[in-house]
Amino acid sequence: MVNFVGSSLLDSVRIKDVTCTACGMLCDDLVVARALNSNTLSVVEHGCSRSAVLLEQPPAYPSARVHGKEVDHASAIQAATALLQQAKQPLIAGLGTEVQGMRAVLRLADHIGATLDHMNSAAMLRNTLVVQQSGWQVTTLTEVRNRADLIVAIGTDIVSVLPRFFERCVWVEATLFDQAPAQRDIVFLGGRHDDLSFASSPDGRPAQVLPCDMEQIPELVAALRALVTGRSLPVDQVAGIAMQDLQQLAQRLREARYSVLAWSAASLDYPHAELSIANITGIVSQLNQTTRSAGLPVGGSNGDSSVNQTSVWTSGYPLPNSYARQHPDYDPWQHSSAQQAAHADAVLWISSLDPSRRPPPSDTTTIVLGHAAMQFEQEPAVYIPIGTPGVDHSGTAFRCDSVVSLPLKPLRPSPLPSLSRVILDIEAALDIEAALHASGKGDAHAD
Amino acid sequence: MLTKLTGGRVYDPAHGIDGQVMDLYIRDGRLIARPRDDEKVSKEYDLRGKVVMAGAIDMHTHIGGGKVNIARMMLPEDHRADPVAHSELCRAGCGHVAPSTLTTGYRYAEMGYTAGFEPAILPVNARQAHLEMGDTPIIDKGGYAMLGSDDYFLRMLTAKKDQNAINDYVAWTLHASQAIGIKVVNPGGISAFKFNQRALDLDAQHAYYQVSPRDVLKSLSRAVHELGIAHPLHVHANNLGVPGNLDTTLKTMGASEGYPLHLTHIQFHSYGTEGDRKFSSGAAAIAEAINQHQHISADVGQILFGQTVTASGDSMRQHANAGLANPSKSVIMDIECDAGCGVVPFKYRDQNFVNALQWAIGLEIFLLVDDPWRIFLTTDHPNGAPFTSYPHLIRLLMDKSFRNDMFTKLNLDAQAMSTLANINREYSLYEIAIMTRAGAAKLVGLHDRGHLGVGAAADITVYTEDADREKMFSKPDYVFKDGTLVVRNGQVVQVTWGSTHTVRPEFDRSVEQDLRAHFDRYHTMKLDHVKVSDDEIAEGGRGRVQVQPCLGRREKTR
């Protein structure tokens, strides 16, 4: 028995303080074991359902493919380059990567005049529009952990977005300011059918739920904003919630020393949800006239924060963004993947973190730089497997609060190239083509 | 490779050279005294009649980090008016008030600047600041790490920890953030705002920690001095923008008890309460105090008229000013028990009484401070105006009749409250070279920049003399960065990647034990992940870390 345990220890190495990019919280306290014979990873400590999906994918090293036929890396690069070169309106979408990958993507997009859109753009844009229209007052995870005395989650249970939120930011052992974490009040707006037992305090006090359906969130937050502002509403209930309960919540918000209003832009999935978010941040703004309150946008997956931040500093604009006119150009409607699907003549789809995020079905020529475990219903013109940042190679990722960024380190030796490496290869191939073109050998139409 | 710059009129205040015609020689990116006898000049530039200075250094410019990126994200309408298409050499981007990183680097270089320092690096956000500066081409960069509202420091202060322990923590922060100086913003006030305090004067008590801004200033200015780093504590004082804050600012000068202080964007802290509108210029008193106190230096934070955006760590004051936002939007953040930030767009108008007087106050300070080694040319980019307006500001300082013409266009009530038209001083080229080169390098602690002596990095700007100083400083003939010609006739001709300047005073590594326990107990990231490594900055061969020397640690100076 002792020998068995001993040998299993020798068969694997433990890696401490691993950063997990499975959600926007970027927990950086994971302990991961790597089996020496297979390089398979398992999360030993501080895991969650999502970290297991990200990190415990068995390693796979498929060949690149062109039209479904296995080819070597160089041939795949050549095929991808040729397609991008022919394209007049290339779209780079998916964008499941991190900062270093996105730096390379932006360079390539500038070079070939591509439009850029992240797979989570629709959700991200709901928040972006609020920042651009009214701004907001928000906070970050460590502030929540130490200060929040009232947390109101609106249209989200938070844990399906950030699985360890309550463990790491709410029901903690100690806070900096002598506040007993167990005394915190949690309120859910919405959440009719959710099991919310995780939100009960350590001493068994359940969270308050004001249940309603997602479609009723807009009227609910509008009413709450009116009440917090001191207006009275001549109705008995809003969205099925008694006026008295809403008034009580408004009063608790006014009395709280540091309330936090959390929402998930992805969950608020209805037209013009940015107006609901603006009402939530409007409540925060009103509360800050007399006490302290802050918004907390929860979310973040497939590198969306990292990619958006990198786009903003490099080009000046968040996603969706376009280099089609030789300079960055921001038009949330025109440049969305949905619109571009009709116009683009080539799609470069990137998904390095999640093999299940495939390009949407389309007739447009598609190149995929994707996770090694990706399976396709519709085989793309070119598939080049790439490594996962923070598993196969290094990188840098932003948390959903957009302030903290963390270094990602490789957890195992891997032959898979990083996205940046593949893009460098494509750029080198483009340069060779351009040089041939310049010397008149590559193109008969030279003037 | 030997380059000769022949016959230029050289302004090199670090060596007392004031317009002397001389030849300069560059070998391998550095200035040398003269070539070896057998050495051949591989490239010669005829600079006869031209003005030659070291590359300019912006010692306070918000070019990287979270709040700058929020400003960018917030203002697509501003970017749309200034699109920058890619060229053969330069990548695309956008300009005006919060330019993209790439455009920032190109435009600084095209204006003859070869270095810029981000003044507000939050330690928890340092990685982002360096990522953004890493994507800023050509110029050198670096920054000041923000302390003074972080809970770890305030707890040390409340617990009356030994100064040596505080010094170790400050040094640790410099290393972790890869910074070259320490900044304090609204000392204690960013934290106090999280406890719902809305103002914090120099001797007021923080509601929770029961320490005052004066305590914070005393402790941090002493730490910076005892660590032996060149840059004095960089202070954004309490009460920014508040009429009557002049008194706070004057008292702040005494708060360090003689330890050096740099008071930043002092224009925003030089307001009196005289007159019908209870808003007046405190420039004369402030300038007089600077003239008298040798341990004080300041940069102005001049405002210029037009659209801009204010981005600051001072969440308390930015929240108070959010109602003045134009366009009407603002982002205010509490950040990680470390700091905060506030981003508020502003439009300064010459017909607005307050704005017009702010403009005059800044210029009064420039002109009334006697010693150009202790006053620095900034607009607190982008808070007073974008950095691209520096040539205009230089003309205002060098050309009295131009300045007075501008003055007569101001709001009349503001004109009546200002003495500007009676000040005859005009800055000389030598004084401009002090403010923007030699003085700035000395203040930041850049030993091999800002001068043209032997061994200095060949960061050199060449101008054509022109009575219109705005024109002259807008478009240098040549800019050399580390000996490479990067700009010709105000256009980038080669893209290089500059260095990141840091300082690394010695400290007792055991400081990490308690700090690690604090992070594990209260934070949401690991202490080791706060630290930014050299490799992260030098990623992809784009730049390197240059560690500037310190004087060496002094033990217990009192």
Side-chain angles (χ1 to χ4, degrees):
Chain A
M1 193 67 186
V2 170
N3 278 345
F4 178 71
V5 171
S7 74
S8 89
L9 276 177
L10 282 175
D11 287 346
S12 70
V13 287
R14 286 163 78 93
I15 311 163
K16 274 176 57 184
D17 294 351
V18 169
T19 301
C20 167
T21 59
C23 78
M25 211 151 124
L26 296 191
C27 300
D28 64 348
D29 60 348
L30 275 69
V31 179
V32 170
R34 170 164 62 87
L36 290 175
N37 58 355
S38 65
N39 279 332
T40 306
L41 306 173
S42 48
V43 182
V44 183
E45 280 175 45
H46 301 145
C48 68
S49 52
R50 294 177 68 157
S51 63
V53 172
L54 174 82
L55 297 170
E56 295 183 356
Q57 288 277 350
Y61 308 115
S63 293
R65 296 192 295 272
V66 174
H67 298 297
K69 215 180 114 197
E70 292 192 355
V71 297
D72 62 14
H73 180 76
S75 311
I77 292 288
Q78 224 167 26
T81 304
L83 291 173
L84 289 174
Q85 210 161 28
Q86 286 157 19
K88 293 195 168 52
Q89 294 199 48
L91 168 67
I92 308 182
L95 293 180
T97 181
E98 45 66 65
V99 172
Q100 309 304 340
M102 189 59 186
R103 277 173 151 175
V105 166
L106 283 155
R107 207 176 52 228
L108 177 66
D110 191 354
H111 192 147
I112 63 173
T115 296
L116 295 162
D117 196 26
H118 191 275
M119 57 178 98
N120 296 351
S121 268
M124 274 200 290
L125 198 57
R126 293 175 192 134
N127 284 335
T128 302
L129 289 174
V130 175
V131 171
Q132 293 176 341
Q133 281 159 13
S134 59
W136 63 20
Q137 195 161 350
V138 290
T139 193
T140 66
L141 297 175
T142 299
E143 296 287 357
V144 175
R145 175 173 172 145
N146 289 287
R147 289 181 195 278
D149 54 353
L150 169 61
I151 298 173
V152 181
I154 300 166
T156 176
D157 63 4
I158 305 183
V159 293
S160 22
V161 186
L162 309 176
R164 293 177 65 202
F165 179 77
F166 283 87
E167 173 205 331
R168 298 191 66 218
C169 294
V170 184
W171 307 130
V172 293
E173 242 174 70
T175 66
L176 275 164
F177 312 114
D178 317 321
Q179 183 198 74
Q183 299 297 307
R184 292 175 159 157
D185 288 327
I186 313 296
V187 179
F188 291 93
L189 293 190
R192 193 191 286 287
H193 306 293
D194 300 336
D195 170 14
L196 301 170
S197 52
F198 57 81
S200 298
S201 68
D203 52 14
R205 206 162 35 89
Q208 187 189 5
V209 183
L210 301 179
C212 73
D213 295 324
M214 193 57 79
E215 303 80 65
Q216 295 171 306
I217 292 286
E219 53 183 308
L220 191 60
V221 292
L224 186 60
R225 185 177 183 182
L227 294 177
V228 165
T229 312
R231 301 204 177 122
S232 61
L233 296 173
V235 289
D236 301 335
Q237 53 86 21
V238 175
I241 295 166
M243 185 50 63
Q244 202 189 345
D245 290 343
L246 270 185
Q247 267 162 348
Q248 238 170 38
L249 176 58
Q251 189 58 27
R252 283 167 83 186
L253 283 165
R254 279 193 293 259
E255 287 166 2
R257 287 192 303 175
Y258 197 96
S259 58
V260 171
L261 280 72
W263 72 90
S264 152
S267 311
L268 303 176
D269 189 11
Y270 48 80
H272 293 296
E274 73 274 13
L275 299 177
S276 300
I277 298 170
N279 269 329
I280 296 168
T281 58
I283 294 169
V284 170
S285 178
Q286 179 64 34
L287 291 169
N288 276 302
Q289 300 295 315
T290 53
T291 183
R292 286 308 322 275
S293 176
L296 183 72
V298 299
S301 67
N302 279 295
D304 52 11
S305 302
S306 310
V307 161
N308 210 39
Q309 288 275 14
T310 312
S311 172
V312 170
W313 80 64
T314 309
S315 72
Y317 297 119
L319 296 171
N321 185 355
S322 175
Y323 284 85
R325 295 200 296 169
Q326 311 296 311
H327 57 75
D329 207 358
Y330 170 67
D331 184 330
W333 184 78
Q334 178 65 23
H335 300 142
S336 67
S337 298
Q339 283 305 309
Q340 286 297 312
H343 304 295
D345 53 359
V347 176
L348 176 63
W349 179 266
I350 293 164
S351 180
S352 65
L353 293 156
D354 182 352
S356 74
R357 298 300 291 263
R358 291 180 289 258
S362 101
D363 299 332
T364 312
T365 306
T366 302
I367 302 157
V368 173
L369 308 183
H371 195 286
M374 238 171 173
Q375 301 290 327
F376 298 96
E377 283 166 17
Q378 188 184 352
E379 176 72 22
V382 180
Y383 165 66
I384 302 176
I386 55 175
T388 300
V391 175
D392 297 305
H393 59 81
S394 63
T396 312
F398 274 85
R399 234 162 59 173
C400 65
D401 53 27
S402 300
V403 171
V404 171
S405 56
L406 292 161
L408 307 176
K409 292 170 187 154
L411 302 178
R412 62 183 169 212
S414 169
L416 293 167
S418 65
L419 173 61
S420 327
R421 180 68 253 163
V422 172
I423 290 180
L424 278 172
D425 292 344
I426 291 174
E427 287 172 322
L430 284 168
D431 284 347
I432 291 167
E433 291 293 318
L436 287 174
H437 180 95
S439 63
K441 288 176 194 158
D443 190 348
H445 306 292
D447 22 318
Chain B
M1 165 101 182
L2 184 80
T3 306
K4 183 181 180 189
L5 309 184
T6 308
R9 205 145 47 75
V10 174
Y11 293 84
D12 183 18
H15 299 98
I17 296 169
D18 182 6
Q20 200 177 312
V21 173
M22 23 189 319
D23 299 337
L24 298 174
Y25 296 93
I26 305 166
R27 185 197 297 133
D28 302 330
R30 299 261 157 189
L31 285 153
I32 57 166
R34 66 187 64 79
R36 293 184 295 264
D37 291 343
D38 58 344
E39 204 172 3
K40 276 178 71 180
V41 171
S42 25
K43 179 82 187 161
E44 183 175 0
Y45 294 86
D46 180 1
L47 303 186
R48 282 174 296 175
K50 308 282 184 195
V51 170
V52 180
M53 296 184 184
I57 297 163
D58 194 344
M59 47 68 63
H60 185 113
T61 173
H62 296 277
I63 54 171
K67 63 196 170 322
V68 187
N69 225 27
I70 292 168
R72 292 188 187 105
M73 181 179 303
M74 269 174 93
L75 294 165
E77 61 272 36
D78 187 66
H79 299 322
R80 280 194 187 107
D82 191 6
V84 178
H86 74 190
S87 66
E88 194 87 349
L89 284 168
C90 297
R91 287 175 57 189
C94 67
H96 204 53
V97 305
S100 64
T101 50
L102 295 157
T103 306
T104 298
Y106 304 142
R107 288 201 172 160
Y108 259 120
E110 287 175 344
M111 230 169 53
Y113 274 71
T114 50
F117 289 82
E118 163 58 51
I121 296 182
L122 281 56
V124 300
N125 187 244
R127 180 166 289 104
Q128 179 175 3
H130 286 293
L131 283 167
E132 292 186 24
M133 290 194 282
D135 280 338
T136 305
I138 304 179
I139 61 170
D140 283 1
K141 45 255 165 178
Y144 317 131
M146 252 170 80
L147 287 175
S149 273
D150 54 309
D151 286 288
Y152 190 79
F153 170 75
L154 290 169
R155 283 159 82 93
M156 287 183 103
L157 213 52
T158 304
K160 303 213 180 318
K161 285 277 165 83
D162 182 73
Q163 182 73 33
N164 270 334
I166 288 175
N167 297 356
D168 287 329
Y169 171 58
V170 171
W172 181 89
T173 304
L174 284 165
H175 283 243
S177 308
Q178 296 270 15
I180 197 166
I182 295 290
K183 182 185 196 196
V184 61
V185 172
N186 189 348
I190 303 167
S191 168
F193 180 57
K194 297 173 188 174
F195 290 92
N196 204 28
Q197 281 179 282
R198 300 304 168 112
L200 197 66
D201 208 346
L202 187 65
D203 291 305
Q205 295 288 299
H206 183 293
Y208 180 79
Y209 287 111
Q210 295 302 313
V211 295
S212 67
R214 186 186 292 275
D215 298 331
V216 173
L217 286 167
K218 232 192 300 193
S219 171
L220 286 178
S221 61
R222 184 175 164 188
V224 164
H225 179 73
E226 291 184 353
L227 289 172
I229 65 174
H231 189 48
L233 180 64
H234 196 99
V235 181
H236 158 144
N238 304 84
N239 290 331
L240 177 141
V242 178
N245 61 12
L246 157 71
D247 292 336
T248 308
T249 309
L250 293 173
K251 282 190 287 176
T252 298
M253 292 184 192
S256 68
E257 299 179 348
Y259 291 116
L261 290 182
H262 177 83
L263 299 182
T264 191
H265 42 68
I266 200 162
Q267 175 276 129
F268 290 108
H269 302 268
S270 302
Y271 305 147
T273 52
E274 287 165 23
D276 294 344
R277 308 209 199 186
K278 306 286 177 220
F279 182 76
S280 58
S281 171
I286 291 289
E288 182 54 30
I290 295 173
N291 289 340
Q292 280 174 13
H293 294 102
Q294 293 298 313
H295 73 292
I296 300 293
S297 57
D299 64 272
V300 172
Q302 177 68 33
I303 73 141
L304 295 164
F305 302 116
Q307 178 70 56
T308 196
V309 60
T310 65
S312 169
D314 194 343
S315 49
M316 177 188 268
R317 294 303 312 150
Q318 290 292 78
H319 180 259
N321 288 330
L324 301 170
N326 185 354
S328 176
K329 51 186 170 185
S330 62
V331 168
I332 309 289
M333 287 189 79
D334 299 323
I335 297 176
E336 288 298 277
C337 298
D338 188 43
C341 80
V343 182
V344 183
F346 253 75
K347 196 176 235 169
Y348 296 108
R349 291 177 298 129
D350 60 2
Q351 292 313 308
N352 173 290
F353 167 74
V354 171
N355 298 167
L357 200 50
Q358 287 177 300
W359 181 89
I361 291 167
L363 293 175
E364 287 169 12
I365 294 171
F366 270 118
L367 298 167
L368 294 173
V369 171
D370 298 332
D371 182 0
W373 290 91
R374 290 193 290 121
I375 188 87
F376 298 91
L377 188 142
T378 65
T379 56
D380 186 17
H381 163 80
N383 294 335
F387 68 82
T388 39
S389 52
Y390 285 167
H392 177 77
L393 176 54
I394 291 172
R395 186 174 182 196
L396 287 168
L397 298 177
M398 296 190 74
D399 183 342
K400 178 175 184 294
S401 67
F402 175 69
R403 181 166 72 227
N404 286 350
D405 287 350
M406 293 289 132
F407 183 73
T408 57
K409 292 176 187 158
L410 299 187
N411 172 292
L412 289 174
D413 292 348
Q415 287 187 44
M417 295 284 286
S418 171
T419 58
L420 187 64
N422 302 323
I423 305 175
N424 291 318
R425 182 172 173 193
E426 289 181 333
Y427 269 81
S428 66
L429 284 173
Y430 188 70
E431 288 174 315
I432 293 291
I434 294 172
M435 279 181 131
T436 57
R437 276 84 172 167
K442 184 170 169 231
L443 180 81
V444 175
L446 305 171
H447 291 71
D448 59 345
R449 313 273 155 173
H451 67 89
L452 299 172
V454 171
D459 294 354
I460 301 170
T461 303
V462 179
Y463 304 99
T464 297
E465 175 81 57
D466 194 317
D468 180 343
R469 299 305 190 186
E470 183 168 349
K471 206 169 140 203
M472 172 176 168
F473 282 94
S474 297
K475 210 175 164 188
D477 297 66
Y478 302 107
V479 180
F480 298 88
K481 181 75 190 74
D482 294 304
T484 301
L485 181 70
V486 290
V487 170
R488 187 197 294 269
N489 296 327
Q491 295 280 316
V492 170
V493 292
Q494 181 152 352
V495 176
T496 60
W497 296 93
S499 302
T500 297
H501 296 274
T502 64
V503 70
R504 291 184 183 162
E506 303 150 35
F507 70 105
D508 179 353
R509 307 268 157 175
S510 70
V511 67
E512 281 202 351
Q513 282 170 21
D514 188 56
L515 201 50
R516 181 167 282 115
H518 174 89
F519 264 74
D520 285 343
R521 192 164 169 79
Y522 301 116
H523 275 251
T524 51
M525 75 190 286
K526 291 281 179 184
L527 183 74
D528 286 333
H529 294 157
V530 176
K531 299 179 200 167
V532 180
S533 71
D534 287 3
D535 290 349
E536 290 181 84
I537 291 175
E539 194 110 30
R542 278 195 298 194
R544 63 193 183 102
V545 176
Q546 185 178 341
V547 183
Q548 292 285 348
C550 325
L551 294 172
R553 188 154 171 170
R554 309 170 174 97
E555 288 304 316
K556 299 255 185 182
T557 48
R558 61 170 65 110

